[in-house]
Amino acid sequence: MNADAIQGGTTAAAHPNLALVKYWGQRQAALNLPLNNSISLNLDGATTHTTVMFDTTLPHDRVVINQALASPAAAQRVSAHLDRIRAIAGVDTRALVISHNDFPAEAGVASSAAAFAALTLAATHALGLQFDDRRLSALARLGSGSACRSIPDGFVEWVAAEADEDSYAYAIAPCGHWDLNVTTIFFGSHAKEVSSLEGHRAADTSPFFTTRMAGIDTTLERVRSAILRRDLLELGLLIEREAISLHVIAMTSQPPERPWMSGIYYWQPQTLDLIQRVQQWRRQGLQVYFTLDAGPSVHLIYEEDDRASILAHVTPAIAELGAGVIHSRPGRGAWLVPLDEVPAPALDPTCRM
Ligand code: PMV
């Protein structure tokens, strides 16, 4: 099959999202149902394009990710998601899936969230299923929990619910609502030893998990309100404490499959170095805050008006730490991409090994 043959495919794109209130711990693992609501924003500095073409001549799904044949585990995860969509559409045709990220894997932005959001939109559309955002979001969640938050536009809240169809994400404010900047700083390829899936499963073994859950509704209410009022002074410290709360849980939880571990450490020395620099920058009067996901990368958050003065401090620190960087603003939700706007690697079914 050559690049022309993919002309009949459907392409969708999505941004990864960055949680301000974190999803950490599951009510039900098989359905990726979370224990608490979470709040995020889409990052427009990183994009995944995914093309799906159903083809009756294919004996099995073929999955190409970043111009290489997907690993058996990744291909299996994509096929399982396509099976859900095929079951709804009542078809059993196999598909060619070509997915391409314009950001490095080691950046610590959730490529699986963007990937499953784009895959859900492209595959449903390719099979003629016209789903609204709520249904697309709940469906994307089954592929990867936080993928549900990459479906809606801008600033997003994911509802924790007991029933599959009730746990979806919706926009609390559009991407143009607030001119925030996010600078993601990453430090080379530290392969994550403990996946977020294992982290979720271990979360309730932490003695501090009940304390986190007891305060989560107040945090959600305050973060939601600070976003709606565009109040970075209020939002900033809240999201820093929220990120640290996730890591306190991780560092004090016991992954069942790893009895030799006293806790999960996602940080690298540079992570703490940057956290301390951010506090010093604030002491000097800069309005810059951080958040962290389940990895060593540090995401800085600040307002557009402060960009020049903040980057004057941040850029030399990035160079000193030898770190990589992605700059983002709040991004749109997942969207369909016309063929002539699809980047070439997202249409090329050949693999460079
Ligand atoms: O969607 P998952 O299973 O990759 O979990 C994401 C977990 C965090 O990124 C740490 C927090 C979040 O809410 O995105």
Side-chain angles (χ1 to χ4, degrees):
M1 191 178 295
N2 59 34
D4 292 340
I6 197 81
Q7 298 273 338
T10 303
T11 305
H15 297 305
N17 63 77
L18 175 64
L20 302 178
V21 179
K22 309 291 182 181
Y23 152 49
W24 202 242
Q26 294 173 322
R27 182 191 303 263
Q28 224 231 72
L31 296 177
N32 288 334
L33 290 173
L35 277 166
N36 60 277
N37 284 24
S38 52
I39 295 178
S40 63
L41 75 164
N42 293 327
L43 299 178
D44 83 346
T47 305
T48 298
H49 282 86
T50 301
T51 301
V52 178
M53 191 179 74
F54 289 92
D55 179 346
T56 49
T57 67
L58 284 175
H60 46 75
D61 295 323
R62 177 178 160 85
V63 182
V64 177
I65 301 176
N66 292 334
Q67 300 187 292
L69 209 55
S71 67
Q76 163 55 31
R77 210 169 153 195
V78 168
S79 278
H81 198 57
L82 289 175
D83 284 345
R84 293 178 188 113
I85 296 169
R86 282 188 279 248
I88 299 170
V91 299
D92 138 41
T93 315
R94 305 290 106 180
L96 170 63
V97 175
I98 306 169
S99 194
H100 183 259
N101 300 329
D102 70 357
F103 53 97
E106 66 270 24
V109 298
S111 55
S112 63
F116 279 96
L119 178 66
T120 303
L121 181 58
T124 51
H125 204 267
L127 289 176
L129 300 168
Q130 302 287 337
F131 287 169
D132 60 15
D133 271 9
R134 174 175 170 163
R135 183 114 194 242
L136 285 171
S137 173
L139 191 51
R141 191 202 75 235
L142 297 170
S144 171
S146 56
C148 70
R149 296 190 311 231
S150 283
I151 295 285
D153 177 34
F155 298 83
V156 168
E157 180 156 355
W158 171 11
V159 184
E162 285 180 25
D164 176 19
E165 65 278 13
D166 294 335
S167 185
Y168 63 96
Y170 64 95
I172 54 177
C175 56
H177 165 73
W178 191 4
D179 228 351
L180 283 184
N181 278 235
V182 178
T183 295
T184 297
I185 304 173
F186 56 96
F187 320 103
S189 51
H190 297 288
K192 200 151 68 175
E193 196 188 337
V194 183
S195 68
S196 50
L197 207 65
E198 269 189 83
H200 287 301
R201 270 195 245 128
D204 66 0
T205 65
S206 164
F208 305 108
F209 192 66
T210 45
T211 307
R212 169 171 167 75
M213 294 309 282
I216 201 81
D217 283 343
T218 308
T219 305
L220 284 159
E221 171 56 34
R222 290 176 67 190
V223 166
R224 204 182 292 122
S225 152
I227 290 172
L228 294 177
R229 289 180 288 107
R230 299 185 198 89
D231 183 348
L232 187 59
L233 231 54
E234 163 83 355
L235 182 73
L237 289 180
L238 278 169
I239 64 170
E240 289 194 359
R241 293 199 180 103
E242 171 56 17
I244 298 303
S245 157
L246 182 159
H247 286 271
V248 165
I249 301 302
M251 289 178 195
T252 52
S253 57
Q254 175 66 70
E257 302 83 358
R258 299 169 190 267
W260 63 92
M261 272 192 167
S262 60
I264 308 169
Y265 294 85
Y266 288 114
W267 294 7
Q268 291 292 326
Q270 299 96 318
T271 313
L272 184 56
D273 181 319
L274 263 168
I275 290 174
Q276 290 177 325
R277 286 184 203 231
V278 171
Q279 296 204 350
Q280 285 309 316
W281 290 331
R282 267 208 308 275
R283 195 175 180 176
Q284 293 162 23
L286 296 178
Q287 288 306 313
V288 56
Y289 298 88
F290 68 81
T291 185
L292 315 161
D293 273 345
S297 301
V298 178
H299 307 268
L300 301 182
I301 300 192
Y302 51 93
E303 288 184 298
E304 177 65 24
D305 287 351
D306 297 330
R307 182 180 163 86
S309 56
I310 286 168
L311 289 185
H313 287 73
V314 170
T315 308
I318 291 170
E320 199 186 312
L321 295 170
V325 68
I326 298 175
H327 293 290
S328 304
R329 290 192 172 78
R332 64 194 290 200
W335 69 101
L336 288 165
V337 184
L339 190 62
D340 57 351
E341 290 172 23
V342 180
L347 286 178
D348 183 356
T350 53
C351 300
R352 299 180 224 309
M353 303 305 275

mmCIF file of all heavy atoms in Angstrom, residues 3-49:
data_model
loop_
_atom_site.group_PDB
_atom_site.id
_atom_site.type_symbol
_atom_site.label_atom_id
_atom_site.label_comp_id
_atom_site.label_asym_id
_atom_site.label_seq_id
_atom_site.Cartn_x
_atom_site.Cartn_y
_atom_site.Cartn_z
ATOM 1 N N ALA A 3 1.282 5.784 -0.253
ATOM 2 C CA ALA A 3 0.649 6.951 0.372
ATOM 3 C C ALA A 3 -0.648 7.345 -0.332
ATOM 4 O O ALA A 3 -1.571 7.844 0.308
ATOM 5 C CB ALA A 3 1.629 8.118 0.394
ATOM 6 N N ASP A 4 -0.750 7.076 -1.650
ATOM 7 C CA ASP A 4 -1.982 7.437 -2.366
ATOM 8 C C ASP A 4 -3.178 6.636 -1.855
ATOM 9 O O ASP A 4 -4.301 7.105 -1.840
ATOM 10 C CB ASP A 4 -1.842 7.161 -3.864
ATOM 11 C CG ASP A 4 -0.842 8.117 -4.475
ATOM 12 O OD1 ASP A 4 -0.596 9.161 -3.845
ATOM 13 O OD2 ASP A 4 -0.312 7.792 -5.549
ATOM 14 N N ALA A 5 -2.887 5.377 -1.455
ATOM 15 C CA ALA A 5 -3.976 4.491 -1.063
ATOM 16 C C ALA A 5 -4.685 4.970 0.202
ATOM 17 O O ALA A 5 -5.811 4.589 0.471
ATOM 18 C CB ALA A 5 -3.431 3.082 -0.839
ATOM 19 N N ILE A 6 -4.009 5.812 0.977
ATOM 20 C CA ILE A 6 -4.607 6.283 2.221
ATOM 21 C C ILE A 6 -5.550 7.458 1.978
ATOM 22 O O ILE A 6 -6.227 7.940 2.873
ATOM 23 C CB ILE A 6 -3.497 6.641 3.248
ATOM 24 C CG1 ILE A 6 -4.047 6.748 4.677
ATOM 25 C CG2 ILE A 6 -2.746 7.864 2.867
ATOM 26 C CD1 ILE A 6 -4.196 5.424 5.298
ATOM 27 N N GLN A 7 -5.667 7.863 0.712
ATOM 28 C CA GLN A 7 -6.536 9.007 0.369
ATOM 29 C C GLN A 7 -7.953 8.829 0.900
ATOM 30 O O GLN A 7 -8.625 9.788 1.194
ATOM 31 C CB GLN A 7 -6.591 9.188 -1.160
ATOM 32 C CG GLN A 7 -5.251 9.496 -1.793
ATOM 33 C CD GLN A 7 -4.922 10.977 -1.819
ATOM 34 O OE1 GLN A 7 -5.816 11.791 -1.751
ATOM 35 N NE2 GLN A 7 -3.648 11.310 -1.884
ATOM 36 N N GLY A 8 -8.406 7.569 1.011
ATOM 37 C CA GLY A 8 -9.773 7.341 1.500
ATOM 38 C C GLY A 8 -9.869 7.381 3.010
ATOM 39 O O GLY A 8 -10.940 7.127 3.562
ATOM 40 N N GLY A 9 -8.788 7.672 3.699
ATOM 41 C CA GLY A 9 -8.792 7.651 5.161
ATOM 42 C C GLY A 9 -9.393 8.914 5.767
ATOM 43 O O GLY A 9 -9.631 9.901 5.076
ATOM 44 N N THR A 10 -9.648 8.849 7.060
ATOM 45 C CA THR A 10 -10.130 10.018 7.806
ATOM 46 C C THR A 10 -9.055 10.405 8.812
ATOM 47 O O THR A 10 -8.556 9.543 9.537
ATOM 48 C CB THR A 10 -11.418 9.660 8.584
ATOM 49 O OG1 THR A 10 -12.373 9.181 7.656
ATOM 50 C CG2 THR A 10 -11.968 10.869 9.319
ATOM 51 N N THR A 11 -8.711 11.689 8.854
ATOM 52 C CA THR A 11 -7.683 12.138 9.802
ATOM 53 C C THR A 11 -8.309 13.057 10.840
ATOM 54 O O THR A 11 -9.112 13.935 10.507
ATOM 55 C CB THR A 11 -6.559 12.901 9.069
ATOM 56 O OG1 THR A 11 -6.041 12.077 8.030
ATOM 57 C CG2 THR A 11 -5.430 13.273 10.023
ATOM 58 N N ALA A 12 -7.912 12.823 12.093
ATOM 59 C CA ALA A 12 -8.296 13.741 13.166
ATOM 60 C C ALA A 12 -7.036 14.140 13.918
ATOM 61 O O ALA A 12 -6.025 13.432 13.887
ATOM 62 C CB ALA A 12 -9.286 13.080 14.118
ATOM 63 N N ALA A 13 -7.100 15.268 14.577
ATOM 64 C CA ALA A 13 -5.961 15.741 15.369
ATOM 65 C C ALA A 13 -6.446 16.083 16.770
ATOM 66 O O ALA A 13 -7.633 16.377 16.982
ATOM 67 C CB ALA A 13 -5.341 16.972 14.713
ATOM 68 N N ALA A 14 -5.517 16.020 17.717
ATOM 69 C CA ALA A 14 -5.850 16.416 19.096
ATOM 70 C C ALA A 14 -4.577 16.871 19.790
ATOM 71 O O ALA A 14 -3.472 16.466 19.424
ATOM 72 C CB ALA A 14 -6.470 15.246 19.861
ATOM 73 N N HIS A 15 -4.766 17.720 20.790
ATOM 74 C CA HIS A 15 -3.648 18.140 21.635
ATOM 75 C C HIS A 15 -3.629 17.281 22.896
ATOM 76 O O HIS A 15 -4.692 16.869 23.380
ATOM 77 C CB HIS A 15 -3.830 19.599 22.072
ATOM 78 C CG HIS A 15 -3.828 20.581 20.940
ATOM 79 N ND1 HIS A 15 -2.806 20.665 20.028
ATOM 80 C CD2 HIS A 15 -4.726 21.538 20.588
ATOM 81 C CE1 HIS A 15 -3.066 21.631 19.164
ATOM 82 N NE2 HIS A 15 -4.236 22.167 19.468
ATOM 83 N N PRO A 16 -2.448 17.076 23.477
ATOM 84 C CA PRO A 16 -2.425 16.509 24.827
ATOM 85 C C PRO A 16 -3.016 17.529 25.797
ATOM 86 O O PRO A 16 -3.153 18.704 25.455
ATOM 87 C CB PRO A 16 -0.939 16.287 25.106
ATOM 88 C CG PRO A 16 -0.193 16.996 24.051
ATOM 89 C CD PRO A 16 -1.116 17.409 22.965
ATOM 90 N N ASN A 17 -3.382 17.081 26.981
ATOM 91 C CA ASN A 17 -3.880 18.043 27.965
ATOM 92 C C ASN A 17 -3.046 17.960 29.232
ATOM 93 O O ASN A 17 -2.427 16.939 29.525
ATOM 94 C CB ASN A 17 -5.362 17.817 28.250
ATOM 95 C CG ASN A 17 -5.643 16.460 28.861
ATOM 96 O OD1 ASN A 17 -5.411 16.250 30.055
ATOM 97 N ND2 ASN A 17 -6.114 15.515 28.040
ATOM 98 N N LEU A 18 -3.028 19.059 29.960
ATOM 99 C CA LEU A 18 -2.257 19.152 31.202
ATOM 100 C C LEU A 18 -3.238 19.326 32.356
ATOM 101 O O LEU A 18 -4.028 20.278 32.359
ATOM 102 C CB LEU A 18 -1.321 20.367 31.125
ATOM 103 C CG LEU A 18 -0.522 20.680 32.384
ATOM 104 C CD1 LEU A 18 0.447 19.547 32.728
ATOM 105 C CD2 LEU A 18 0.256 21.993 32.205
ATOM 106 N N ALA A 19 -3.178 18.401 33.319
ATOM 107 C CA ALA A 19 -4.133 18.475 34.431
ATOM 108 C C ALA A 19 -3.696 19.526 35.445
ATOM 109 O O ALA A 19 -2.521 19.607 35.809
ATOM 110 C CB ALA A 19 -4.239 17.115 35.108
ATOM 111 N N LEU A 20 -4.638 20.340 35.880
ATOM 112 C CA LEU A 20 -4.412 21.293 36.968
ATOM 113 C C LEU A 20 -4.914 20.680 38.277
ATOM 114 O O LEU A 20 -4.309 20.835 39.330
ATOM 115 C CB LEU A 20 -5.132 22.608 36.672
ATOM 116 C CG LEU A 20 -4.702 23.278 35.348
ATOM 117 C CD1 LEU A 20 -5.498 24.544 35.091
ATOM 118 C CD2 LEU A 20 -3.200 23.577 35.333
ATOM 119 N N VAL A 21 -6.043 19.965 38.199
ATOM 120 C CA VAL A 21 -6.451 19.064 39.290
ATOM 121 C C VAL A 21 -6.335 17.658 38.720
ATOM 122 O O VAL A 21 -6.881 17.369 37.652
ATOM 123 C CB VAL A 21 -7.899 19.342 39.766
ATOM 124 C CG1 VAL A 21 -8.278 18.370 40.885
ATOM 125 C CG2 VAL A 21 -8.037 20.780 40.234
ATOM 126 N N LYS A 22 -5.612 16.805 39.416
ATOM 127 C CA LYS A 22 -5.154 15.548 38.828
ATOM 128 C C LYS A 22 -6.144 14.402 38.979
ATOM 129 O O LYS A 22 -6.850 14.306 39.989
ATOM 130 C CB LYS A 22 -3.835 15.105 39.487
ATOM 131 C CG LYS A 22 -2.764 16.171 39.534
ATOM 132 C CD LYS A 22 -2.224 16.508 38.161
ATOM 133 C CE LYS A 22 -1.117 17.559 38.244
ATOM 134 N NZ LYS A 22 -0.601 17.904 36.924
ATOM 135 N N TYR A 23 -6.101 13.533 37.993
ATOM 136 C CA TYR A 23 -6.746 12.218 38.037
ATOM 137 C C TYR A 23 -5.690 11.270 38.584
ATOM 138 O O TYR A 23 -4.658 11.057 37.953
ATOM 139 C CB TYR A 23 -7.168 11.884 36.601
ATOM 140 C CG TYR A 23 -7.256 10.435 36.193
ATOM 141 C CD1 TYR A 23 -7.929 9.481 36.963
ATOM 142 C CD2 TYR A 23 -6.703 10.028 34.974
ATOM 143 C CE1 TYR A 23 -8.028 8.161 36.517
ATOM 144 C CE2 TYR A 23 -6.808 8.725 34.521
ATOM 145 C CZ TYR A 23 -7.463 7.789 35.305
ATOM 146 O OH TYR A 23 -7.566 6.501 34.865
ATOM 147 N N TRP A 24 -5.924 10.737 39.774
ATOM 148 C CA TRP A 24 -4.957 9.798 40.357
ATOM 149 C C TRP A 24 -5.723 8.820 41.232
ATOM 150 O O TRP A 24 -6.132 9.145 42.324
ATOM 151 C CB TRP A 24 -3.866 10.535 41.144
ATOM 152 C CG TRP A 24 -2.613 9.713 41.312
ATOM 153 C CD1 TRP A 24 -2.055 9.279 42.495
ATOM 154 C CD2 TRP A 24 -1.761 9.218 40.275
ATOM 155 N NE1 TRP A 24 -0.921 8.553 42.243
ATOM 156 C CE2 TRP A 24 -0.708 8.496 40.893
ATOM 157 C CE3 TRP A 24 -1.777 9.295 38.877
ATOM 158 C CZ2 TRP A 24 0.301 7.857 40.163
ATOM 159 C CZ3 TRP A 24 -0.775 8.679 38.163
ATOM 160 C CH2 TRP A 24 0.256 7.968 38.808
ATOM 161 N N GLY A 25 -5.964 7.646 40.711
ATOM 162 C CA GLY A 25 -6.749 6.635 41.425
ATOM 163 C C GLY A 25 -8.035 6.350 40.658
ATOM 164 O O GLY A 25 -8.684 7.269 40.174
ATOM 165 N N GLN A 26 -8.330 5.041 40.544
ATOM 166 C CA GLN A 26 -9.490 4.657 39.731
ATOM 167 C C GLN A 26 -10.577 3.990 40.567
ATOM 168 O O GLN A 26 -10.297 3.199 41.453
ATOM 169 C CB GLN A 26 -9.050 3.666 38.641
ATOM 170 C CG GLN A 26 -8.115 4.275 37.615
ATOM 171 C CD GLN A 26 -7.557 3.229 36.661
ATOM 172 O OE1 GLN A 26 -7.260 2.109 37.069
ATOM 173 N NE2 GLN A 26 -7.407 3.596 35.407
ATOM 174 N N ARG A 27 -11.820 4.321 40.209
ATOM 175 C CA ARG A 27 -12.980 3.644 40.783
ATOM 176 C C ARG A 27 -13.132 2.267 40.131
ATOM 177 O O ARG A 27 -13.503 1.297 40.764
ATOM 178 C CB ARG A 27 -14.212 4.497 40.456
ATOM 179 C CG ARG A 27 -15.522 4.037 40.976
ATOM 180 C CD ARG A 27 -16.625 4.853 40.312
ATOM 181 N NE ARG A 27 -16.454 6.275 40.534
ATOM 182 C CZ ARG A 27 -17.085 6.969 41.486
ATOM 183 N NH1 ARG A 27 -17.929 6.372 42.280
ATOM 184 N NH2 ARG A 27 -16.875 8.262 41.610
ATOM 185 N N GLN A 28 -12.858 2.237 38.817
ATOM 186 C CA GLN A 28 -12.991 0.973 38.085
ATOM 187 C C GLN A 28 -11.967 0.936 36.970
ATOM 188 O O GLN A 28 -12.036 1.721 36.014
ATOM 189 C CB GLN A 28 -14.393 0.899 37.488
ATOM 190 C CG GLN A 28 -15.011 -0.456 37.670
ATOM 191 C CD GLN A 28 -15.537 -0.981 36.346
ATOM 192 O OE1 GLN A 28 -14.752 -1.362 35.456
ATOM 193 N NE2 GLN A 28 -16.839 -0.982 36.202
ATOM 194 N N ALA A 29 -10.995 0.032 37.081
ATOM 195 C CA ALA A 29 -9.872 0.025 36.143
ATOM 196 C C ALA A 29 -10.296 -0.340 34.718
ATOM 197 O O ALA A 29 -9.853 0.303 33.757
ATOM 198 C CB ALA A 29 -8.794 -0.936 36.636
ATOM 199 N N ALA A 30 -11.170 -1.328 34.552
ATOM 200 C CA ALA A 30 -11.498 -1.804 33.203
ATOM 201 C C ALA A 30 -12.124 -0.696 32.358
ATOM 202 O O ALA A 30 -11.928 -0.653 31.141
ATOM 203 C CB ALA A 30 -12.438 -3.000 33.290
ATOM 204 N N LEU A 31 -12.862 0.209 33.006
ATOM 205 C CA LEU A 31 -13.542 1.279 32.257
ATOM 206 C C LEU A 31 -12.835 2.631 32.421
ATOM 207 O O LEU A 31 -13.357 3.651 31.977
ATOM 208 C CB LEU A 31 -15.001 1.409 32.715
ATOM 209 C CG LEU A 31 -15.912 0.205 32.456
ATOM 210 C CD1 LEU A 31 -17.305 0.454 33.035
ATOM 211 C CD2 LEU A 31 -16.017 -0.069 30.945
ATOM 212 N N ASN A 32 -11.661 2.629 33.043
ATOM 213 C CA ASN A 32 -10.959 3.891 33.322
ATOM 214 C C ASN A 32 -11.894 4.917 33.975
ATOM 215 O O ASN A 32 -11.953 6.079 33.565
ATOM 216 C CB ASN A 32 -10.362 4.491 32.043
ATOM 217 C CG ASN A 32 -9.165 3.704 31.561
ATOM 218 O OD1 ASN A 32 -8.489 3.045 32.346
ATOM 219 N ND2 ASN A 32 -8.904 3.753 30.261
ATOM 220 N N LEU A 33 -12.618 4.473 34.991
ATOM 221 C CA LEU A 33 -13.482 5.406 35.729
ATOM 222 C C LEU A 33 -12.681 5.961 36.908
ATOM 223 O O LEU A 33 -12.175 5.191 37.731
ATOM 224 C CB LEU A 33 -14.738 4.694 36.229
ATOM 225 C CG LEU A 33 -15.724 4.288 35.139
ATOM 226 C CD1 LEU A 33 -16.849 3.426 35.717
ATOM 227 C CD2 LEU A 33 -16.313 5.516 34.444
ATOM 228 N N PRO A 34 -12.542 7.278 36.988
ATOM 229 C CA PRO A 34 -11.699 7.872 38.032
ATOM 230 C C PRO A 34 -12.434 7.983 39.368
ATOM 231 O O PRO A 34 -13.668 7.961 39.402
ATOM 232 C CB PRO A 34 -11.429 9.267 37.472
ATOM 233 C CG PRO A 34 -12.669 9.591 36.706
ATOM 234 C CD PRO A 34 -13.161 8.285 36.110
ATOM 235 N N LEU A 35 -11.662 8.172 40.439
ATOM 236 C CA LEU A 35 -12.273 8.363 41.754
ATOM 237 C C LEU A 35 -12.689 9.818 41.970
ATOM 238 O O LEU A 35 -13.527 10.101 42.805
ATOM 239 C CB LEU A 35 -11.291 7.944 42.851
ATOM 240 C CG LEU A 35 -11.280 6.437 43.136
ATOM 241 C CD1 LEU A 35 -10.065 6.064 43.965
ATOM 242 C CD2 LEU A 35 -12.561 6.002 43.824
ATOM 243 N N ASN A 36 -12.044 10.750 41.248
ATOM 244 C CA ASN A 36 -12.375 12.168 41.458
ATOM 245 C C ASN A 36 -12.457 12.898 40.118
ATOM 246 O O ASN A 36 -11.841 12.473 39.134
ATOM 247 C CB ASN A 36 -11.332 12.846 42.360
ATOM 248 C CG ASN A 36 -9.928 12.809 41.796
ATOM 249 O OD1 ASN A 36 -9.213 11.819 41.937
ATOM 250 N ND2 ASN A 36 -9.510 13.884 41.138
ATOM 251 N N ASN A 37 -13.196 14.009 40.121
ATOM 252 C CA ASN A 37 -13.190 14.890 38.942
ATOM 253 C C ASN A 37 -11.778 15.440 38.764
ATOM 254 O O ASN A 37 -11.025 15.557 39.735
ATOM 255 C CB ASN A 37 -14.118 16.082 39.154
ATOM 256 C CG ASN A 37 -15.586 15.717 39.013
ATOM 257 O OD1 ASN A 37 -15.958 14.560 39.198
ATOM 258 N ND2 ASN A 37 -16.411 16.703 38.693
ATOM 259 N N SER A 38 -11.437 15.818 37.543
ATOM 260 C CA SER A 38 -10.156 16.487 37.312
ATOM 261 C C SER A 38 -10.384 17.642 36.338
ATOM 262 O O SER A 38 -11.396 17.677 35.626
ATOM 263 C CB SER A 38 -9.115 15.499 36.775
ATOM 264 O OG SER A 38 -9.608 14.800 35.655
ATOM 265 N N ILE A 39 -9.433 18.585 36.345
ATOM 266 C CA ILE A 39 -9.551 19.785 35.495
ATOM 267 C C ILE A 39 -8.245 19.951 34.728
ATOM 268 O O ILE A 39 -7.157 19.799 35.303
ATOM 269 C CB ILE A 39 -9.843 21.038 36.352
ATOM 270 C CG1 ILE A 39 -11.225 20.902 37.015
ATOM 271 C CG2 ILE A 39 -9.772 22.316 35.506
ATOM 272 C CD1 ILE A 39 -11.612 22.061 37.921
ATOM 273 N N SER A 40 -8.348 20.254 33.432
ATOM 274 C CA SER A 40 -7.137 20.348 32.603
ATOM 275 C C SER A 40 -7.277 21.473 31.583
ATOM 276 O O SER A 40 -8.348 22.065 31.430
ATOM 277 C CB SER A 40 -6.921 19.031 31.860
ATOM 278 O OG SER A 40 -8.008 18.793 30.983
ATOM 279 N N LEU A 41 -6.159 21.737 30.891
ATOM 280 C CA LEU A 41 -6.251 22.560 29.691
ATOM 281 C C LEU A 41 -5.488 21.872 28.563
ATOM 282 O O LEU A 41 -4.509 21.158 28.820
ATOM 283 C CB LEU A 41 -5.754 23.988 29.919
ATOM 284 C CG LEU A 41 -4.271 24.258 30.026
ATOM 285 C CD1 LEU A 41 -4.012 25.749 29.849
ATOM 286 C CD2 LEU A 41 -3.760 23.877 31.387
ATOM 287 N N ASN A 42 -5.984 22.044 27.353
ATOM 288 C CA ASN A 42 -5.309 21.460 26.188
ATOM 289 C C ASN A 42 -4.077 22.293 25.861
ATOM 290 O O ASN A 42 -4.092 23.522 25.993
ATOM 291 C CB ASN A 42 -6.259 21.449 24.986
ATOM 292 C CG ASN A 42 -7.427 20.504 25.197
ATOM 293 O OD1 ASN A 42 -7.285 19.476 25.847
ATOM 294 N ND2 ASN A 42 -8.589 20.866 24.662
ATOM 295 N N LEU A 43 -3.015 21.595 25.422
ATOM 296 C CA LEU A 43 -1.740 22.268 25.129
ATOM 297 C C LEU A 43 -1.567 22.407 23.618
ATOM 298 O O LEU A 43 -1.322 21.413 22.919
ATOM 299 C CB LEU A 43 -0.579 21.438 25.696
ATOM 300 C CG LEU A 43 -0.579 21.230 27.213
ATOM 301 C CD1 LEU A 43 0.593 20.351 27.624
ATOM 302 C CD2 LEU A 43 -0.538 22.574 27.950
ATOM 303 N N ASP A 44 -1.662 23.640 23.111
ATOM 304 C CA ASP A 44 -1.638 23.789 21.651
ATOM 305 C C ASP A 44 -0.233 23.685 21.047
ATOM 306 O O ASP A 44 -0.084 23.689 19.832
ATOM 307 C CB ASP A 44 -2.340 25.090 21.215
ATOM 308 C CG ASP A 44 -1.430 26.309 21.309
ATOM 309 O OD1 ASP A 44 -0.365 26.232 21.952
ATOM 310 O OD2 ASP A 44 -1.789 27.353 20.738
ATOM 311 N N GLY A 45 0.795 23.558 21.905
ATOM 312 C CA GLY A 45 2.163 23.424 21.381
ATOM 313 C C GLY A 45 2.526 22.011 20.979
ATOM 314 O O GLY A 45 3.654 21.769 20.521
ATOM 315 N N ALA A 46 1.617 21.071 21.163
ATOM 316 C CA ALA A 46 1.880 19.671 20.808
ATOM 317 C C ALA A 46 0.620 19.099 20.164
ATOM 318 O O ALA A 46 -0.487 19.365 20.649
ATOM 319 C CB ALA A 46 2.233 18.864 22.052
ATOM 320 N N THR A 47 0.799 18.368 19.067
ATOM 321 C CA THR A 47 -0.364 17.851 18.334
ATOM 322 C C THR A 47 -0.091 16.431 17.857
ATOM 323 O O THR A 47 1.013 16.117 17.412
ATOM 324 C CB THR A 47 -0.668 18.741 17.104
ATOM 325 O OG1 THR A 47 -0.821 20.097 17.539
ATOM 326 C CG2 THR A 47 -1.941 18.307 16.391
ATOM 327 N N THR A 48 -1.123 15.595 17.972
ATOM 328 C CA THR A 48 -1.093 14.256 17.367
ATOM 329 C C THR A 48 -2.070 14.236 16.198
ATOM 330 O O THR A 48 -3.216 14.682 16.358
ATOM 331 C CB THR A 48 -1.526 13.181 18.382
ATOM 332 O OG1 THR A 48 -0.603 13.190 19.465
ATOM 333 C CG2 THR A 48 -1.551 11.795 17.752
ATOM 334 N N HIS A 49 -1.616 13.773 15.047
ATOM 335 C CA HIS A 49 -2.512 13.530 13.901
ATOM 336 C C HIS A 49 -2.672 12.025 13.741
ATOM 337 O O HIS A 49 -1.659 11.306 13.731
ATOM 338 C CB HIS A 49 -1.920 14.099 12.611
ATOM 339 C CG HIS A 49 -2.079 15.581 12.480
ATOM 340 N ND1 HIS A 49 -1.200 16.480 13.016
ATOM 341 C CD2 HIS A 49 -3.055 16.323 11.863
ATOM 342 C CE1 HIS A 49 -1.604 17.713 12.747
ATOM 343 N NE2 HIS A 49 -2.732 17.653 12.052
#
